[in-house]
Amino acid sequence: MNALADIDTPAVLVDLDVAEANIDRFQDYCNLHGFRNRPHIKTHKLPVLARRQIKAGAVGITCQKISEAEAMIAEGGVDDVLLTYNVVGMAKLQRLRALAGRVTLSVVADSAAVVAGLGAAFADASEPLTVLVECDTGAHRCGVATPAAARDLAGVIDRTAGARFGGLMTYPPVGGTGAVQEFMSEAIELCEAAGLAVERITSGGAPDMWRAHEAPLVTEYRTGTYVYNDRSLVERGVCTWDDCALTVLATVVSVPDGGRAIIDAGTKVLTSDLLGLDGHGHVLGRPDIRIDQLSEEHGRLVCDGSIALSVGDRVRIVPNHCCVVSNMMDAVVGVRGSRIEGDLTIAARGLVW
């Protein structure tokens, strides 16, 4: 196999030149504004890219699941992990304890119940587990709701054997940078008044990554999608189509009429994520085409004029949301322009926690 035409479809391609340029661009931004970069690996799930991010200057990685962390450190080169998810249940806590012996580890919590479980798991550890308070600064998912609640939970962590208070964490909504600054300013003041040093403020989110400096209290930023970029970020003006490293290569399998074509990529590749967009991806070079409908194995392309495609033609699609596409595949095909580098196994895919 030496040409894109030889790749069986549907396939997910990752242009490594583009991905590496994306890594370097955001690292330069972090360096310029003086905060640490801790990329979220849920986008690529590839140890080779995690190591490339660290080589560029990242202080470590962010994971959402213990299995992701285990996969990322298995090949070496990754030794600092932040797990941004409440760890609940004995089985997970035992795996977390084992992981702590292999890397510098920190986690988050948003309730005393979660802290109690973490403390019990690490009560006899040689070093306490670093626990950050997760704060809700407007996304309304997990997190304590007020700066006062953040101070109170920080105090619980500080008093819990096996745990140490490590700072504050948030995942704000799009456009929430200002709210992060406001929330954290009050939370820091309250924590310090209670004798609790806030050594780390970690925030994240790809849509606002170029505005991260507008919350100068943030000491660390977490973003995952920047490594590939996707249609959602292009539509928000965060990047351009040329900055999109991940594409789905699909073959036209049917042209029922002049305004419609069917490709061999459905929800099992492109996924059902819309992210508020019209359609299921952008066909490169054909802005007139909409991917208006997906079933498991079929994608429907439509346009107002002539579809101008034939059975056997190939199209490359920038998906709405690249992170979930990675999780659908056992491997992606690494390319550099039109040159094929080879398959890259998605080490951290799947549902096992």
Side-chain angles (χ1 to χ4, degrees), residues 79-102:
D79 58 13
D80 192 315
V81 176
L82 169 63
L83 189 68
T84 51
Y85 201 97
N86 286 332
V87 180
V88 177
M90 185 59 68
K92 293 182 178 66
L93 289 166
Q94 289 175 344
R95 288 169 64 199
L96 185 71
R97 175 69 186 269
L99 189 67
R102 303 169 64 188

Side-chain angles (χ1 to χ4, degrees), residues 195-239:
L196 301 164
V198 182
E199 64 188 44
R200 181 170 161 197
I201 303 288
T202 178
S203 186
D208 289 324
M209 62 185 179
W210 303 119
R211 299 183 59 189
H213 64 282
E214 296 177 11
L217 285 175
V218 170
T219 62
E220 176 181 282
Y221 203 80
R222 314 177 317 278
T223 178
T225 311
Y226 84 107
V227 66
Y228 289 160
N229 293 309
D230 55 24
R231 184 187 174 206
S232 73
L233 294 185
V234 174
E235 297 288 350
R236 292 183 185 276
V238 177
C239 62

Side-chain angles (χ1 to χ4, degrees), residues 150-169:
R151 173 205 56 202
D152 293 345
L153 188 57
V156 171
I157 296 168
D158 187 60
R159 296 189 296 271
T160 298
R164 62 176 293 273
F165 173 54
L168 306 173
M169 170 266 181

